[in-house]
Amino acid sequence: MSKPVQILFTPFRIGNLTLKNRIVMAPMTRSFSRGSVPGDDVTAYYRRRAEGGVGLILSEGVHPNTTTADGTPNVPDIVTPAAKEGWRKVASEVKAAGGAMGLQLWHEGPYRNPAKSAHPDIPSWSASGLKVPDKGPLWAPMTEAEIETAIEEFVAAAVATKEAGFACAEFHGAHSYLIDSFFWDKTNRRTDKWGGDWTGRTRMAAEIIRRTRTKVGPDFPLIIRISQWKQQDFDAKCAETPQEFEQWLAPLADAGIDAFHCSQRRFWEPAFDGSDLNAAGWAKKLTGKPTISVGSVGLSGEFTATYGGEVSKPASLDRLVEMMERGDFDLIAVGRALLQDPQWAEKVRTGRTDELKEFSKDALGVLY
Ligand SMILES: Cc1cc2nc3c(=O)[nH]c(=O)nc-3n(C[C@H](O)[C@H](O)[C@H](O)COP(=O)(O)O)c2cc1C
């Protein structure tokens, strides 16, 4: 017998935004926005998740500029008038279907491959020009003027997100991209005020949050996604101890973030020795802010193995329910299960678990 799942379907508030349940669609890059403009197929894809009862939809990563942020064809931006117009339609359709949605703002930083981008002559941006720490810099460290530009571009993208009619915005500060290249001491070797200790390494993100807050006001929730793990090293611990984790999160909380989205590949894995709390559990305990967890919900295998061809089978939600009933974290993001099946939340709510589907990489090529 599976545990009852009511906890997943109780409302939750982030500031003045009331979510009808605890299920969040995880941000997933789909590369279906031709010319970086989300079209009718992308609009319908998000609308289907709202109709399927998802509490909060987070968009795929959306670029805050069309140059240094962009290394992946057909990933949308929120800069050009056409892209803004496309997103306005998405926001309005999701709202009409009773959903809440935010854009995830994503600067690819050192994971942008200039050769594959529309601007191969423009170097990629990151704290110290490092992609793989041990292999030496690929580019020059960002200048202070470039850091200033990057901050202002994130702020403008968050303002544009609000103007397009979305309920919130998420800054992508995880997975080794631009913001994360500042957080991690192995890729941030700077000796100026943007590097060094946690105060220095969180300064860029804190500036983005603080300046955005003054522009969007108190009632537009701002979320930041962070991860201990890095693309270069799945076992990396950006913060080695809860004390360090607090030093990472506190400046972001002080700057005005409303919620932390702690990315891990398996939600049940403890973040530190001596406690079974996961990263979102610790973030909630240390900051008192709402937190979102994620990672292999409802599926047997984790997402990076999916790319290698592993097929994940539907899996029990018992452990998730247990952790949420205990109050470890507030919201749970679901990636592949919702990519595959827009009705996933509704099937879980109504106990139709025999209708849940397995996930294979074939799903990546389709906007179900
Ligand atoms: C196709 C695909 C695209 C993804 N793109 C993003 C992204 O744009 N931004 C992000 O923060 N995470 C991205 N992720 C990671 C997911 O948000 C999520 O953390 C991960 O899939 C684990 O959740 P799951 O096991 O429920 O799929 C992506 C994952 C997949 C499968």
Short mmCIF file of all heavy atoms in Angstrom, two decimals, residues 291-342:
data_model
loop_
_atom_site.label_atom_id
_atom_site.label_comp_id
_atom_site.label_asym_id
_atom_site.label_seq_id
_atom_site.Cartn_x
_atom_site.Cartn_y
_atom_site.Cartn_z
N THR A 291 11.47 26.40 0.83
CA THR A 291 12.44 25.74 -0.04
C THR A 291 11.77 24.70 -0.95
O THR A 291 10.73 24.13 -0.61
CB THR A 291 13.59 25.07 0.73
OG1 THR A 291 13.07 24.06 1.59
CG2 THR A 291 14.37 26.07 1.55
N ILE A 292 12.42 24.49 -2.09
CA ILE A 292 11.97 23.53 -3.09
C ILE A 292 13.06 22.46 -3.21
O ILE A 292 14.24 22.80 -3.34
CB ILE A 292 11.82 24.21 -4.48
CG1 ILE A 292 10.98 25.48 -4.38
CG2 ILE A 292 11.24 23.22 -5.50
CD1 ILE A 292 10.96 26.31 -5.68
N SER A 293 12.65 21.19 -3.17
CA SER A 293 13.60 20.11 -3.44
C SER A 293 13.30 19.51 -4.82
O SER A 293 12.33 19.90 -5.47
CB SER A 293 13.52 19.04 -2.36
OG SER A 293 14.55 18.09 -2.54
N VAL A 294 14.13 18.62 -5.25
CA VAL A 294 13.99 18.02 -6.59
C VAL A 294 14.90 16.80 -6.69
O VAL A 294 15.86 16.67 -5.92
CB VAL A 294 14.39 19.06 -7.68
CG1 VAL A 294 15.88 19.40 -7.63
CG2 VAL A 294 14.03 18.58 -9.09
N GLY A 295 14.63 15.95 -7.66
CA GLY A 295 15.58 14.88 -7.99
C GLY A 295 14.99 13.49 -7.98
O GLY A 295 14.80 12.89 -6.93
N SER A 296 14.69 12.98 -9.15
CA SER A 296 14.23 11.59 -9.33
C SER A 296 12.90 11.31 -8.64
O SER A 296 12.68 10.19 -8.17
CB SER A 296 15.29 10.59 -8.85
OG SER A 296 16.51 10.81 -9.51
N VAL A 297 12.04 12.30 -8.57
CA VAL A 297 10.72 12.06 -7.98
C VAL A 297 9.91 11.18 -8.92
O VAL A 297 9.78 11.47 -10.11
CB VAL A 297 9.98 13.38 -7.71
CG1 VAL A 297 8.52 13.12 -7.33
CG2 VAL A 297 10.68 14.15 -6.61
N GLY A 298 9.40 10.09 -8.36
CA GLY A 298 8.51 9.21 -9.12
C GLY A 298 9.20 8.39 -10.19
O GLY A 298 8.54 7.74 -10.99
N LEU A 299 10.54 8.39 -10.20
CA LEU A 299 11.27 7.63 -11.22
C LEU A 299 12.43 6.87 -10.59
O LEU A 299 13.05 7.34 -9.64
CB LEU A 299 11.80 8.55 -12.32
CG LEU A 299 10.74 9.16 -13.27
CD1 LEU A 299 11.38 10.17 -14.21
CD2 LEU A 299 10.02 8.08 -14.07
N SER A 300 12.75 5.72 -11.19
CA SER A 300 13.76 4.84 -10.60
C SER A 300 15.20 5.32 -10.85
O SER A 300 16.08 5.04 -10.05
CB SER A 300 13.61 3.43 -11.17
OG SER A 300 13.79 3.46 -12.57
N GLY A 301 15.44 6.03 -11.94
CA GLY A 301 16.81 6.44 -12.25
C GLY A 301 16.93 7.95 -12.27
O GLY A 301 15.93 8.66 -12.35
N GLU A 302 18.17 8.47 -12.19
CA GLU A 302 18.32 9.94 -12.13
C GLU A 302 18.59 10.54 -13.52
O GLU A 302 18.92 9.82 -14.46
CB GLU A 302 19.35 10.34 -11.08
CG GLU A 302 20.72 9.77 -11.26
CD GLU A 302 21.52 10.51 -12.28
OE1 GLU A 302 21.49 11.75 -12.29
OE2 GLU A 302 22.19 9.83 -13.08
N PHE A 303 18.46 11.87 -13.61
CA PHE A 303 18.29 12.47 -14.93
C PHE A 303 19.54 12.45 -15.80
O PHE A 303 19.43 12.36 -17.02
CB PHE A 303 17.70 13.88 -14.84
CG PHE A 303 18.68 15.01 -14.62
CD1 PHE A 303 19.04 15.85 -15.66
CD2 PHE A 303 19.19 15.25 -13.36
CE1 PHE A 303 19.93 16.90 -15.45
CE2 PHE A 303 20.06 16.30 -13.14
CZ PHE A 303 20.43 17.12 -14.19
N THR A 304 20.75 12.49 -15.21
CA THR A 304 21.92 12.52 -16.08
C THR A 304 22.11 11.16 -16.77
O THR A 304 22.62 11.09 -17.88
CB THR A 304 23.19 12.94 -15.31
OG1 THR A 304 23.36 12.06 -14.21
CG2 THR A 304 23.09 14.36 -14.80
N ALA A 305 21.64 10.08 -16.09
CA ALA A 305 21.74 8.75 -16.71
C ALA A 305 20.77 8.62 -17.88
O ALA A 305 20.99 7.82 -18.80
CB ALA A 305 21.47 7.67 -15.67
N THR A 306 19.69 9.42 -17.82
CA THR A 306 18.72 9.42 -18.91
C THR A 306 19.39 9.77 -20.23
O THR A 306 19.11 9.18 -21.27
CB THR A 306 17.64 10.48 -18.62
OG1 THR A 306 16.88 10.06 -17.51
CG2 THR A 306 16.72 10.65 -19.80
N TYR A 307 20.28 10.77 -20.16
CA TYR A 307 20.95 11.19 -21.39
C TYR A 307 21.77 10.05 -21.99
O TYR A 307 21.96 9.97 -23.19
CB TYR A 307 21.85 12.41 -21.15
CG TYR A 307 21.11 13.65 -20.71
CD1 TYR A 307 21.43 14.28 -19.51
CD2 TYR A 307 20.10 14.19 -21.49
CE1 TYR A 307 20.76 15.43 -19.11
CE2 TYR A 307 19.43 15.34 -21.10
CZ TYR A 307 19.76 15.95 -19.90
OH TYR A 307 19.10 17.08 -19.51
N GLY A 308 22.27 9.18 -21.10
CA GLY A 308 23.06 8.04 -21.56
C GLY A 308 22.20 6.89 -22.06
O GLY A 308 22.72 5.85 -22.46
N GLY A 309 20.87 7.04 -21.97
CA GLY A 309 19.99 6.03 -22.54
C GLY A 309 19.27 5.17 -21.51
O GLY A 309 18.48 4.31 -21.86
N GLU A 310 19.55 5.39 -20.20
CA GLU A 310 18.88 4.58 -19.18
C GLU A 310 17.38 4.88 -19.16
O GLU A 310 16.98 6.04 -19.25
CB GLU A 310 19.48 4.92 -17.81
CG GLU A 310 18.95 4.08 -16.68
CD GLU A 310 19.53 4.53 -15.33
OE1 GLU A 310 20.71 4.22 -15.06
OE2 GLU A 310 18.80 5.19 -14.57
N VAL A 311 16.58 3.85 -19.04
CA VAL A 311 15.13 4.03 -18.95
C VAL A 311 14.74 3.99 -17.48
O VAL A 311 15.13 3.08 -16.75
CB VAL A 311 14.40 2.92 -19.73
CG1 VAL A 311 12.89 3.04 -19.55
CG2 VAL A 311 14.77 2.99 -21.21
N SER A 312 13.99 5.02 -17.03
CA SER A 312 13.54 5.04 -15.63
C SER A 312 12.11 4.54 -15.54
O SER A 312 11.26 4.93 -16.34
CB SER A 312 13.59 6.47 -15.07
OG SER A 312 14.91 6.91 -14.94
N LYS A 313 11.86 3.71 -14.53
CA LYS A 313 10.51 3.18 -14.30
C LYS A 313 9.81 4.03 -13.25
O LYS A 313 10.48 4.64 -12.41
CB LYS A 313 10.60 1.74 -13.74
CG LYS A 313 11.36 0.80 -14.62
CD LYS A 313 10.38 -0.08 -15.40
CE LYS A 313 11.07 -1.04 -16.32
NZ LYS A 313 11.04 -0.66 -17.71
N PRO A 314 8.48 4.05 -13.24
CA PRO A 314 7.77 4.75 -12.17
C PRO A 314 8.19 4.21 -10.81
O PRO A 314 8.43 3.01 -10.67
CB PRO A 314 6.30 4.44 -12.45
CG PRO A 314 6.24 4.12 -13.90
CD PRO A 314 7.55 3.46 -14.22
N ALA A 315 8.34 5.10 -9.81
CA ALA A 315 8.81 4.68 -8.48
C ALA A 315 7.90 5.26 -7.40
O ALA A 315 7.22 6.26 -7.63
CB ALA A 315 10.26 5.13 -8.28
N SER A 316 7.96 4.64 -6.23
CA SER A 316 7.10 5.03 -5.11
C SER A 316 7.35 6.47 -4.65
O SER A 316 8.48 6.97 -4.68
CB SER A 316 7.39 4.08 -3.94
OG SER A 316 6.90 4.62 -2.73
N LEU A 317 6.27 7.11 -4.14
CA LEU A 317 6.41 8.46 -3.60
C LEU A 317 6.45 8.45 -2.07
O LEU A 317 6.43 9.49 -1.43
CB LEU A 317 5.23 9.32 -4.07
CG LEU A 317 5.14 9.55 -5.59
CD1 LEU A 317 3.88 10.33 -5.94
CD2 LEU A 317 6.37 10.30 -6.11
N ASP A 318 6.52 7.25 -1.47
CA ASP A 318 6.43 7.16 -0.01
C ASP A 318 7.48 7.99 0.72
O ASP A 318 7.18 8.69 1.68
CB ASP A 318 6.56 5.69 0.44
CG ASP A 318 5.29 4.90 0.17
OD1 ASP A 318 4.32 5.49 -0.36
OD2 ASP A 318 5.27 3.69 0.47
N ARG A 319 8.72 7.88 0.28
CA ARG A 319 9.79 8.61 0.99
C ARG A 319 9.59 10.12 0.86
O ARG A 319 9.79 10.88 1.81
CB ARG A 319 11.16 8.19 0.41
CG ARG A 319 12.35 8.90 1.01
CD ARG A 319 12.59 8.52 2.49
NE ARG A 319 13.74 9.22 3.04
CZ ARG A 319 13.79 9.69 4.28
NH1 ARG A 319 12.79 9.54 5.11
NH2 ARG A 319 14.88 10.31 4.71
N LEU A 320 9.15 10.56 -0.31
CA LEU A 320 8.87 11.99 -0.52
C LEU A 320 7.79 12.46 0.45
O LEU A 320 7.94 13.49 1.13
CB LEU A 320 8.42 12.22 -1.97
CG LEU A 320 7.97 13.66 -2.27
CD1 LEU A 320 9.16 14.60 -2.22
CD2 LEU A 320 7.30 13.73 -3.64
N VAL A 321 6.72 11.69 0.52
CA VAL A 321 5.60 12.05 1.41
C VAL A 321 6.09 12.14 2.86
O VAL A 321 5.78 13.08 3.59
CB VAL A 321 4.46 11.02 1.25
CG1 VAL A 321 3.44 11.15 2.37
CG2 VAL A 321 3.81 11.17 -0.12
N GLU A 322 6.90 11.16 3.24
CA GLU A 322 7.44 11.13 4.60
C GLU A 322 8.24 12.40 4.91
O GLU A 322 8.06 13.03 5.94
CB GLU A 322 8.38 9.92 4.66
CG GLU A 322 8.58 9.26 5.98
CD GLU A 322 9.45 8.02 5.73
OE1 GLU A 322 8.90 7.01 5.24
OE2 GLU A 322 10.67 8.08 5.99
N MET A 323 9.12 12.78 3.98
CA MET A 323 9.96 13.96 4.22
C MET A 323 9.13 15.23 4.23
O MET A 323 9.38 16.16 5.00
CB MET A 323 11.08 14.04 3.15
CG MET A 323 12.12 12.94 3.31
SD MET A 323 13.26 12.82 1.90
CE MET A 323 14.48 14.07 2.33
N MET A 324 8.11 15.29 3.38
CA MET A 324 7.29 16.50 3.34
C MET A 324 6.37 16.57 4.55
O MET A 324 6.14 17.65 5.10
CB MET A 324 6.52 16.58 2.03
CG MET A 324 7.49 16.82 0.88
SD MET A 324 6.72 17.25 -0.67
CE MET A 324 6.30 18.96 -0.41
N GLU A 325 5.87 15.42 4.99
CA GLU A 325 5.03 15.44 6.20
C GLU A 325 5.83 15.86 7.42
O GLU A 325 5.33 16.49 8.33
CB GLU A 325 4.41 14.05 6.43
CG GLU A 325 3.23 13.82 5.51
CD GLU A 325 2.59 12.45 5.69
OE1 GLU A 325 3.23 11.56 6.29
OE2 GLU A 325 1.45 12.27 5.19
N ARG A 326 7.10 15.53 7.41
CA ARG A 326 7.99 15.91 8.51
C ARG A 326 8.33 17.40 8.45
O ARG A 326 8.93 17.96 9.34
CB ARG A 326 9.28 15.06 8.36
CG ARG A 326 10.07 14.89 9.60
CD ARG A 326 11.13 13.84 9.38
NE ARG A 326 12.18 14.26 8.45
CZ ARG A 326 13.32 13.59 8.24
NH1 ARG A 326 13.54 12.47 8.90
NH2 ARG A 326 14.20 14.03 7.38
N GLY A 327 8.01 18.03 7.29
CA GLY A 327 8.25 19.47 7.14
C GLY A 327 9.67 19.80 6.71
O GLY A 327 10.13 20.94 6.87
N ASP A 328 10.38 18.83 6.14
CA ASP A 328 11.77 19.09 5.73
C ASP A 328 11.84 20.27 4.76
O ASP A 328 12.68 21.15 4.90
CB ASP A 328 12.37 17.87 5.03
CG ASP A 328 12.74 16.76 5.99
OD1 ASP A 328 12.31 16.82 7.16
OD2 ASP A 328 13.48 15.84 5.58
N PHE A 329 11.00 20.23 3.74
CA PHE A 329 10.96 21.31 2.72
C PHE A 329 9.51 21.49 2.32
O PHE A 329 8.64 20.69 2.70
CB PHE A 329 11.87 20.97 1.53
CG PHE A 329 11.72 19.57 1.02
CD1 PHE A 329 10.72 19.24 0.14
CD2 PHE A 329 12.58 18.56 1.47
CE1 PHE A 329 10.55 17.93 -0.31
CE2 PHE A 329 12.42 17.23 1.03
CZ PHE A 329 11.41 16.94 0.14
N ASP A 330 9.24 22.54 1.54
CA ASP A 330 7.84 22.93 1.31
C ASP A 330 7.28 22.48 -0.04
O ASP A 330 6.09 22.21 -0.15
CB ASP A 330 7.75 24.46 1.39
CG ASP A 330 8.31 24.95 2.70
OD1 ASP A 330 7.72 24.63 3.75
OD2 ASP A 330 9.37 25.62 2.69
N LEU A 331 8.13 22.49 -1.04
CA LEU A 331 7.66 22.24 -2.41
C LEU A 331 8.59 21.21 -3.04
O LEU A 331 9.77 21.12 -2.67
CB LEU A 331 7.71 23.53 -3.23
CG LEU A 331 6.81 24.67 -2.73
CD1 LEU A 331 7.26 26.00 -3.35
CD2 LEU A 331 5.36 24.41 -3.07
N ILE A 332 8.04 20.46 -4.00
CA ILE A 332 8.88 19.47 -4.67
C ILE A 332 8.81 19.70 -6.18
O ILE A 332 7.71 19.78 -6.75
CB ILE A 332 8.47 18.02 -4.29
CG1 ILE A 332 9.45 17.02 -4.91
CG2 ILE A 332 7.03 17.71 -4.66
CD1 ILE A 332 10.85 17.06 -4.34
N ALA A 333 9.96 19.83 -6.79
CA ALA A 333 9.99 20.00 -8.25
C ALA A 333 10.10 18.63 -8.90
O ALA A 333 10.79 17.73 -8.41
CB ALA A 333 11.17 20.88 -8.65
N VAL A 334 9.39 18.50 -10.00
CA VAL A 334 9.34 17.24 -10.75
C VAL A 334 9.77 17.56 -12.18
O VAL A 334 9.19 18.44 -12.81
CB VAL A 334 7.91 16.66 -10.71
CG1 VAL A 334 7.83 15.37 -11.53
CG2 VAL A 334 7.47 16.43 -9.27
N GLY A 335 10.79 16.85 -12.64
CA GLY A 335 11.31 17.13 -13.97
C GLY A 335 10.75 16.17 -15.00
O GLY A 335 9.66 16.35 -15.54
N ARG A 336 11.50 15.09 -15.23
CA ARG A 336 11.17 14.19 -16.34
C ARG A 336 9.76 13.63 -16.30
O ARG A 336 9.12 13.47 -17.34
CB ARG A 336 12.19 13.05 -16.39
CG ARG A 336 13.57 13.52 -16.85
CD ARG A 336 14.62 12.51 -16.44
NE ARG A 336 14.63 12.37 -14.99
CZ ARG A 336 14.97 11.27 -14.33
NH1 ARG A 336 15.34 10.21 -14.99
NH2 ARG A 336 14.96 11.24 -13.01
N ALA A 337 9.26 13.32 -15.10
CA ALA A 337 7.92 12.72 -15.04
C ALA A 337 6.89 13.68 -15.64
O ALA A 337 5.94 13.25 -16.30
CB ALA A 337 7.56 12.37 -13.60
N LEU A 338 7.13 14.99 -15.45
CA LEU A 338 6.21 15.98 -16.01
C LEU A 338 6.52 16.35 -17.45
O LEU A 338 5.66 16.85 -18.17
CB LEU A 338 6.23 17.26 -15.15
CG LEU A 338 5.22 17.28 -14.01
CD1 LEU A 338 5.49 18.47 -13.08
CD2 LEU A 338 3.79 17.36 -14.55
N LEU A 339 7.75 16.12 -17.84
CA LEU A 339 8.11 16.33 -19.25
C LEU A 339 7.37 15.30 -20.11
O LEU A 339 6.84 15.58 -21.18
CB LEU A 339 9.62 16.20 -19.40
CG LEU A 339 10.27 16.48 -20.76
CD1 LEU A 339 11.77 16.74 -20.58
CD2 LEU A 339 10.10 15.36 -21.75
N GLN A 340 7.31 14.10 -19.56
CA GLN A 340 6.72 12.96 -20.26
C GLN A 340 5.20 13.00 -20.25
O GLN A 340 4.56 12.59 -21.20
CB GLN A 340 7.21 11.70 -19.51
CG GLN A 340 6.59 10.41 -19.87
CD GLN A 340 7.27 9.82 -21.06
OE1 GLN A 340 7.00 10.22 -22.17
NE2 GLN A 340 8.19 8.92 -20.85
N ASP A 341 4.66 13.47 -19.12
CA ASP A 341 3.22 13.31 -18.91
C ASP A 341 2.61 14.55 -18.26
O ASP A 341 2.72 14.75 -17.05
CB ASP A 341 3.01 12.09 -17.99
CG ASP A 341 1.55 11.73 -17.86
OD1 ASP A 341 0.69 12.47 -18.37
OD2 ASP A 341 1.28 10.69 -17.22
N PRO A 342 1.92 15.38 -19.05
CA PRO A 342 1.32 16.60 -18.49
C PRO A 342 0.29 16.31 -17.41
O PRO A 342 -0.02 17.17 -16.59
CB PRO A 342 0.66 17.28 -19.70
CG PRO A 342 0.71 16.33 -20.83
CD PRO A 342 1.71 15.26 -20.50
#
